[in-house]
Amino acid sequence: MERLWERSDLYALSPSRPRPLVSSDEIYEIGLRLLSDGGIFYSPSESELTALAEKLIESGAKAIGLGILHSAQYPEHEIGVAEKIESLTGIRVFASSSLAAFPREYERWGLASLAAYLAPVLGKYLEELSERCQSRVALMGSSGGLIPARHANANPASCVLSGPAGGALAAMASGRSRVLALDMGGTSTDVTLLAGRIPRTRESEIDGLPIPLPMIDIHTIGAGGGSIVHFDTGGMLALGPKSAGAVPGPACYGHGGPATLSDAALVAGRLISGRFLDGAMPLDILASRNALESARPAMMKVDELIDGVINLACVHLTGALRRISVARGIDPSIKDKMFTLVPFGGAGALFAVECARELGLSEVLHPRAAGVFSAIGLLTAPIALERETALLESAMNARDSILSSLDRLKAEIAGDFTELNQSVEPVFTTNVEARYRGQTHSLEIALPERIDGDSLKRSFEAAYRERYTYTHPDSDVEIVAIRLRGEISGGEIEIDDIETGNRNFERSKIGDSTIRFDRKWMNAPIYERKTVPIESEIQGPALISEDFDTLVLPPDSSMHLDRKGNAIITVNG
């Protein structure tokens, strides 16, 4: 996982490390040591396990993560200890080898601690949900497929980016071949690059913590509508990553919350106080203004603070979009290969057009029902189950191990599909993780049709050359792990054309607003999206209001609705 070796704050004089999920006083040693060949160097006695169990009970732990060296290749010892501790304590134990057959212990043990961190909350939720539902429960997994509730409960970390995964699936069905998806909610923003396929990775991070699980390649930043406006120790304006959350929420919620991005957007005229949640929850603009007054330095005017906050939000969003495109060698603004920006979530359309202009994009597609777009994607999700096993064998000698592992993994996945009452034959995809012997980093490649040492080495070196521009032809290639994904495609959602009978351009204008763009106040009409006629062009500046979000149309941009109700925005300049 190469990101572990990157310095995210290259110029920070005092760089900060991510806060660990488990503090040092909550870490306990166990007297079990495996050798690299699976032999036992030291095994804990019954009395040692009993004494450890008593300490764990006294600590008040609600779940436990267990990690032992070399357990990826030889999991039976770690699983046995986990079962013993669980029986002695009555506390759930997550063995790292049961979560990921991954040789590197740092990532694997971190995954075990993350699973234990999430288990009490997710486990209680799934228990209550299963009791209320009359049928089997499936959840969206971070890899873009539905997984049984039992699997989610066994590995809670597999669902950490389930919401954004649904949004990526929905964006794939937007009718555009090249998409930058921007999902902005109250706490964070998730961005994904989609170029004809769903990109997956095992190098995801959340707040600097690696997650070595198959996930849709989503980059997350701490910028959302609830991001708190503040000034750092150097006096520089900052936004987030701390959020006001839902309680107390932004100041405009009226519950005494701090100044946030939503408050700046409201005072700047980008949000309509009486139209929030279709009018069910009016926003308190006076509370927003007072919170911003309290947050600003004495020498700064409120208008200047608003400008700075909105500009900073756009910088954060544009930076995230550049990280998944330009930083990977993909220029989204190239003519004939230009990407379309697809914003969704409750706050995505507030700043999307300005981000598109900054990136050099000419089109923004704001989908119908953008506020619940991720839920629409979930309805199209396939049922997808994955299994993996560690090998650590030379590619030249790995054929028999690969074939026997594939038979076992296929049998396990087939059993899970049977449990879900799925009679359709799943489509299987097999990947292997390989590296040059002696290297730390590895690459995941598709298993070649011909399974032999030469074919494996050729496939690996082609991928290695593509990534690094060179190879080591005299070095031995080592197969680290084999992974199998079984998938049964989900249903396609047929979105009806929007009705046209009750649409009238004059009636669609429901008011006027004063909006701040480019450090100036401008008059802008407000249109109700559900009454705007198809193909009628609206010129910016304007606001397009609907039940669960607001589309901000800056100057030098225009919008029309297509037959599906999507807002197609043309960005000029």
Side-chain angles (χ1 to χ4, degrees), residues 144-146 169 377-384 422 487-493:
L146 296 176
L169 293 178
L378 187 144
L379 296 175
T380 70
I383 300 174
Q422 296 294 321
E487 189 172 296
I488 295 177
S489 16
E492 291 187 5
I493 300 276

Side-chain angles (χ1 to χ4, degrees), residues 26 39 90 125 127 308 387 395 397 406 518 530:
E26 295 173 321
Y125 169 75
E127 183 180 342
R387 290 286 187 278
N397 306 318
L406 274 179
D518 300 323
K530 62 185 176 184

Side-chain angles (χ1 to χ4, degrees), residues 343-548:
F344 51 97
L350 292 176
F351 315 101
V353 179
E354 287 140 307
C355 290
R357 179 174 288 131
E358 186 67 25
L359 290 167
L361 308 183
S362 62
E363 184 184 63
V364 176
L365 188 154
H366 183 232
R368 176 178 168 189
V372 291
F373 199 56
S374 290
I376 294 173
L378 187 144
L379 296 175
T380 70
I383 300 174
L385 302 174
E386 302 196 25
R387 290 286 187 278
E388 67 179 354
T389 188
L391 290 184
L392 288 180
E393 292 187 25
S394 168
M396 295 301 170
N397 306 318
R399 183 179 185 278
D400 291 343
S401 296
I402 290 174
L403 291 176
S404 62
S405 296
L406 274 179
D407 289 341
R408 176 172 56 81
L409 297 177
K410 277 187 179 180
E412 291 176 3
I413 291 177
D416 289 332
F417 277 120
T418 301
E419 181 187 329
L420 291 169
N421 287 338
Q422 296 294 321
S423 56
V424 179
E425 186 69 22
V427 176
F428 287 102
T429 306
T430 307
N431 289 343
V432 294
E433 185 171 337
R435 65 189 179 190
Y436 282 121
R437 187 176 294 277
Q439 288 190 339
T440 300
H441 300 307
S442 53
L443 293 176
E444 189 167 308
I445 59 172
L447 182 69
E449 291 185 13
R450 182 182 177 88
I451 305 174
D452 58 39
D454 291 334
S455 300
L456 288 165
K457 185 169 184 176
R458 277 196 301 269
S459 296
F460 170 74
E461 291 196 329
Y464 196 93
R465 184 180 292 106
E466 183 179 354
R467 171 72 70 90
Y468 300 111
T469 73
Y470 63 91
T471 61
H472 299 286
D474 296 329
S475 296
D476 184 32
V477 174
E478 183 179 48
I479 305 300
V480 177
I482 180 167
R483 299 189 173 104
L484 185 68
R485 178 184 175 94
E487 189 172 296
I488 295 177
S489 16
E492 291 187 5
I493 300 276
E494 186 62 38
I495 299 179
D496 296 334
D497 291 352
I498 57 176
E499 54 79 26
T500 58
N502 297 321
R503 293 177 177 269
N504 178 280
F505 189 77
E506 291 184 1
R507 188 158 53 85
S508 68
K509 183 181 176 183
I510 57 174
D512 292 282
S513 177
T514 303
I515 310 181
R516 193 163 177 84
F517 288 113
D518 300 323
R519 301 181 183 179
K520 297 187 292 288
W521 290 100
M522 303 180 185
N523 292 324
I526 303 172
Y527 295 93
E528 187 176 44
R529 183 162 171 165
K530 62 185 176 184
T531 55
V532 172
I534 295 173
E535 303 300 340
S536 292
E537 187 172 80
I538 296 175
Q539 295 289 335
L543 291 181
I544 317 299
S545 174
E546 61 176 323
D547 294 351
F548 297 108

Side-chain angles (χ1 to χ4, degrees), residues 133-463:
C133 292
Q134 300 301 314
S135 57
R136 289 180 175 85
V137 176
L139 282 79
M140 172 64 87
S142 302
S143 67
L146 296 176
I147 59 175
R150 178 174 64 85
H151 287 217
N153 198 31
N155 189 356
S158 62
C159 295
V160 290
L161 288 179
S162 56
L169 293 178
M172 272 291 290
S174 63
R176 300 297 190 269
S177 59
R178 297 179 181 87
V179 167
L180 290 174
L182 178 101
D183 180 3
M184 187 175 188
T187 303
S188 63
T189 296
D190 306 289
V191 294
T192 315
L193 185 144
L194 304 165
R197 66 180 183 86
I198 296 291
R200 291 187 175 87
T201 181
R202 288 177 178 267
E203 295 185 348
S204 293
E205 289 181 4
I206 294 182
D207 194 25
L209 299 172
I211 305 176
L213 291 176
M215 308 176 81
I216 292 181
D217 195 358
I218 296 170
H219 178 54
T220 301
I221 61 170
S227 294
I228 296 173
V229 176
H230 61 102
F231 287 81
D232 62 21
T233 54
M236 297 291 290
L237 176 64
L239 183 64
K242 289 186 178 179
S243 172
V247 180
C252 57
Y253 283 14
H255 301 305
T260 65
L261 177 57
S262 291
D263 296 300
L266 178 61
V267 176
R270 296 183 179 229
L271 288 173
I272 309 162
S273 174
R275 301 283 299 178
F276 192 69
L277 294 181
D278 199 26
M281 182 181 169
L283 299 177
D284 188 342
I285 191 169
L286 181 60
S288 291
R289 185 170 287 278
N290 289 339
L292 291 166
E293 284 277 5
S294 299
R296 70 178 178 89
M299 300 299 291
M300 179 181 284
K301 297 178 181 178
V302 170
D303 285 356
E304 293 172 335
L305 178 57
I306 292 170
D307 292 339
V309 170
I310 291 176
N311 289 340
L312 190 55
C314 291
V315 167
H316 287 331
L317 299 180
T318 306
L321 291 165
R322 284 198 172 107
R323 175 159 182 170
I324 62 167
S325 57
V326 178
R328 299 179 182 179
I330 301 171
D331 185 349
S333 65
I334 292 178
K335 193 176 180 181
D336 299 328
K337 293 184 179 180
M338 189 170 291
F339 281 70
T340 296
L341 183 61
V342 178
F344 51 97
L350 292 176
F351 315 101
V353 179
E354 287 140 307
C355 290
R357 179 174 288 131
E358 186 67 25
L359 290 167
L361 308 183
S362 62
E363 184 184 63
V364 176
L365 188 154
H366 183 232
R368 176 178 168 189
V372 291
F373 199 56
S374 290
I376 294 173
L378 187 144
L379 296 175
T380 70
I383 300 174
L385 302 174
E386 302 196 25
R387 290 286 187 278
E388 67 179 354
T389 188
L391 290 184
L392 288 180
E393 292 187 25
S394 168
M396 295 301 170
N397 306 318
R399 183 179 185 278
D400 291 343
S401 296
I402 290 174
L403 291 176
S404 62
S405 296
L406 274 179
D407 289 341
R408 176 172 56 81
L409 297 177
K410 277 187 179 180
E412 291 176 3
I413 291 177
D416 289 332
F417 277 120
T418 301
E419 181 187 329
L420 291 169
N421 287 338
Q422 296 294 321
S423 56
V424 179
E425 186 69 22
V427 176
F428 287 102
T429 306
T430 307
N431 289 343
V432 294
E433 185 171 337
R435 65 189 179 190
Y436 282 121
R437 187 176 294 277
Q439 288 190 339
T440 300
H441 300 307
S442 53
L443 293 176
E444 189 167 308
I445 59 172
L447 182 69
E449 291 185 13
R450 182 182 177 88
I451 305 174
D452 58 39
D454 291 334
S455 300
L456 288 165
K457 185 169 184 176
R458 277 196 301 269
S459 296
F460 170 74
E461 291 196 329

